[in-house]
Amino acid sequence: MGQLIFKSKIEQVAERLRQDIMRGKWREEIPGREELALEIGVNSKTVESALRLLEMKGLLIAQGTGRRRKIANLTNSPPPALQIKYMLYEQADRTESNHIETIHQLSALGHVTTFSDKSLHELGMDVKRVASYVKNNPADAWVVMGGSRDILEWFAAQNFPVFAQFGRCSEIPISGVRVNKISAQAEAVSKLISLGHRRIVMLARTERRKPKPGMLEQAFLDELEKGGITTGNYHLPDWKDDIAGFHRCLDSLFGATPPTALIFSEAHHFIAAQQHLVRMGIVIPRDVSLICQDPNAVFSWCVPEISHIKWDSQPVVKSIIKWANQVARGKDNHKQTLIHAEFIEGGTIGPAP
């Protein structure tokens, strides 16, 4: 464990004021010490000392006795370093290349970025537990991966900047990046239907199904209906979102009415299912067709290539870097970047048995 650093009350007040300045709470001048003391709940001498500390750091400019301090123009100066925490969907995501590259680039810019020691999955995607964790682990800004709508709505309501990496962030006032897979998925489902498939099943995470299907999941059901397939729970089954629950779901699916095609939202689900089906003696794509909704470096090593939906991860990295630098300069415009995807037919799909 590293050495614990305890800040004085003056330093704590100075840090709070610094964060408020960087978030754009005040534009040209900062309020006087009496007003700030009343707002923060400390004595005016402590506030005055904190303001002088910010003067020494170049964030404030004194304008004489009895006058409010001016906020320095930071436009032409390097943005200050941020303490950024990265809350992953699950700890296994730490090894994803786009996360590693993002953290390296943020570090090169002077920002201190760390993974939180609890993932959304470990916190049960529970708003109260996430709120408690964030309160006890403060940061200047957060990047949240794969958040549910409830989780992202909570983050959007807080007074610190947040970036939603994927998750159900559409129509929420929060900065973020998401992938538009709907047209690519429609092409994939249409291809399956043209090959005679009727029993097409999608295995999606709980937060993608509840309280109602997400945009992509609903588009999947709509595409089936468009192809003349009456949809139900069979096509978007409920399963416990853990390893054991995933494999139990596969066993159940291949009981009475086995699917002829499976669509997986994540690469590790695809690989786990592929191994599971091999153990069951099921041959791909002779007995069942498989499609993954995400790309993975492993797929390029497979012959034939895995059928999947492909998208470029570089815009994800660029969006987070741009957002972090804007936040450091006190700006957060809640822009969401949309990445378009394409369907790679591959060799893991074939005619329905």
Side-chain angles (χ1 to χ4, degrees), residues 2-8 11:
Q3 181 181 3
L4 294 176
I5 299 175
F6 296 96
K7 292 184 177 181
S8 68
E11 290 172 320

Side-chain angles (χ1 to χ4, degrees), residues 79-298:
L82 295 173
Q83 297 284 339
I84 302 174
K85 280 197 180 292
Y86 218 118
M87 181 171 280
L88 299 171
Y89 179 85
E90 56 188 357
Q91 295 296 354
D93 295 326
R94 284 173 179 255
T95 59
E96 288 194 10
S97 58
N98 66 77
H99 297 330
I100 296 171
E101 184 177 352
T102 300
I103 288 178
H104 283 170
Q105 290 197 28
L106 287 172
S107 298
L109 293 170
H111 304 301
V112 180
T113 308
T114 56
F115 290 121
S116 60
D117 59 3
K118 292 290 184 182
S119 66
L120 290 175
H121 196 263
E122 290 172 307
L123 294 169
M125 200 66 76
D126 181 88
V127 173
K128 289 184 179 179
R129 292 179 66 188
V130 170
S132 176
Y133 180 86
V134 171
K135 180 181 179 181
N136 292 320
N137 296 271
D140 293 328
W142 287 79
V143 176
V144 182
M145 181 186 174
S148 66
R149 178 159 292 276
D150 288 345
I151 292 293
L152 294 180
E153 284 177 344
W154 179 84
F155 270 107
Q158 305 313 302
N159 63 352
F160 49 77
V162 181
F163 187 95
Q165 183 173 339
F166 315 137
R168 300 183 70 169
C169 63
S170 61
E171 299 179 0
I172 295 178
I174 191 173
S175 297
V177 62
R178 50 196 176 92
V179 183
N180 181 6
K181 304 176 185 176
I182 291 177
S183 59
Q185 177 183 260
E187 184 182 347
V189 174
S190 178
K191 179 64 179 180
L192 290 173
I193 293 173
S194 73
L195 291 170
H197 293 275
R198 310 292 291 177
R199 299 196 300 273
I200 306 172
V201 174
M202 175 186 287
L203 290 183
R205 294 278 197 175
T206 302
E207 63 276 1
R208 299 298 312 175
R209 295 179 275 107
K210 296 179 178 180
K212 63 180 182 178
M215 290 176 61
L216 188 63
E217 290 69 29
Q218 187 59 54
F220 162 69
L221 297 174
D222 293 343
E223 195 65 28
L224 293 183
E225 294 279 355
K226 182 180 174 182
I229 301 171
T230 301
T231 59
N233 292 336
Y234 174 84
H235 300 93
L236 191 64
D238 192 18
W239 54 283
K240 188 177 180 182
D241 199 350
D242 58 24
I243 295 172
F246 179 76
H247 289 277
R248 280 197 302 269
C249 181
L250 287 174
D251 286 333
S252 175
L253 284 170
F254 284 89
T257 54
T260 62
L262 288 169
I263 299 175
F264 301 95
S265 57
E266 298 169 41
H268 54 278
H269 287 166
F270 182 99
I271 295 168
Q274 194 174 35
Q275 184 188 47
H276 186 104
L277 297 176
V278 167
R279 290 201 308 270
M280 296 174 70
I282 295 171
V283 179
I284 304 161
R286 186 195 70 190
D287 302 324
V288 63
S289 292
L290 303 184
I291 296 175
C292 185
Q293 290 179 319
D294 265 350
N296 189 280
V298 174

Side-chain angles (χ1 to χ4, degrees), residues 4-51:
L4 294 176
I5 299 175
F6 296 96
K7 292 184 177 181
S8 68
K9 183 175 288 188
I10 292 171
E11 290 172 320
Q12 291 177 45
V13 172
E15 176 60 17
R16 171 172 170 172
L17 294 175
R18 182 194 72 80
Q19 291 182 9
D20 286 343
I21 291 170
M22 301 316 300
R23 291 168 189 154
K25 184 173 181 178
W26 307 290
R27 292 298 178 185
E28 296 181 359
E29 295 179 332
I30 193 168
R33 66 181 185 183
E34 300 295 339
E35 184 179 340
L36 290 172
L38 187 62
E39 178 183 336
I40 299 173
V42 297
N43 64 60
S44 59
K45 289 184 178 179
T46 300
V47 172
E48 178 64 25
S49 297
L51 292 171

